[in-house]
Amino acid sequence: MAVRAEKEQLVQSVAERLERSKSVVLADYRGLNVAEDTELRTRLRAAGVEYAVIKNTMTSRAAKQVNLEGLDEFLSGPTAIAFGYEDAVTPAKILHEFAREHKALELKGGVVEGRIVSGAELAEIAKLPSREGLLSMLLSVLQAPMRNLAYVVSQVAEKNGGAGAASEVEAAPAE
């Protein structure tokens, strides 16, 4: 009876992780040696991604609990699971990059923002910028108008030898 309770607790734990995750990546790790697996786990841990090897039947039951139908097609053979809680792109990016370096690792599929995706779709997602990269791009776009205005003001000031630049900008007709 204790074994069944442990399994039910494991299924519940995996279900909770699936619900909390912004993305989940399933990978076949067959062929990785201990050093490579340790390197992968270190990279994932540094990025705040949880990585575990969980029996396919337990993962399947947990997926059904949280209504993730369709995940079963990726649950055959040895399966490692990466749970990304902070960023939907990071787990796919790290695993995809690692798979390019170590041909033994293969992305099977997963879940991104509640949607079941294939290994090929994960590879495409891995090419997207991370959350920090996207925020940086957004900040750059938001700063561009101010940067352009500052450039125009400096050019007017340079043209007038530094005097009266502000009054000329104010006197310029509005479009």
Side-chain angles (χ1 to χ4, degrees):
M1 198 63 162
V3 173
R4 182 177 180 145
E6 285 178 20
K7 286 182 179 181
E8 287 175 2
Q9 186 177 10
L10 175 62
V11 169
Q12 187 60 37
S13 170
V14 173
E16 288 171 5
R17 288 186 259 181
L18 288 171
E19 280 188 316
R20 278 188 327 179
S21 299
K22 291 189 178 181
S23 70
V24 176
V25 178
L26 305 175
D28 184 341
Y29 60 91
R30 248 183 310 214
L32 290 181
N33 62 37
V34 174
E36 292 167 336
D37 187 58
T38 302
E39 178 186 347
L40 175 59
R41 288 175 184 270
T42 302
R43 286 187 196 181
L44 291 166
R45 193 176 307 112
V49 176
E50 184 181 348
Y51 180 80
V53 175
I54 301 167
K55 287 188 173 197
N56 292 334
T57 54
M58 301 298 137
T59 304
S60 177
R61 288 178 187 164
K64 283 181 178 77
Q65 275 188 14
V66 295
N67 297 320
L68 284 175
E69 304 299 326
L71 204 59
D72 283 352
E73 72 179 277
F74 306 118
L75 295 173
S76 63
T79 305
I81 306 173
F83 299 95
Y85 303 113
E86 313 253 332
D87 183 6
V89 176
T90 301
K93 188 178 286 291
I94 293 171
L95 285 163
H96 178 69
E97 181 181 302
F98 196 86
R100 285 192 339 206
E101 298 167 8
H102 303 88
K103 298 301 180 198
L105 185 73
E106 177 189 338
L107 301 183
K108 293 180 173 188
V111 182
V112 177
E113 300 287 345
R115 190 174 143 258
I116 305 291
V117 294
S118 69
E121 288 173 299
L122 284 171
E124 290 301 313
I125 290 168
K127 295 174 187 173
L128 295 172
S130 67
R131 181 177 187 274
E132 289 76 23
L134 289 171
L135 289 174
S136 175
M137 288 179 197
L138 176 62
L139 183 60
S140 178
V141 167
L142 293 174
Q143 287 178 338
M146 291 302 289
R147 199 173 27 247
N148 292 342
L149 177 63
Y151 176 75
V152 168
V153 170
S154 71
Q155 291 301 307
V156 170
E158 195 174 291
K159 177 182 169 194
N160 292 333
S167 62
E168 191 158 322
V169 172
E170 290 172 7
E175 293 182 32

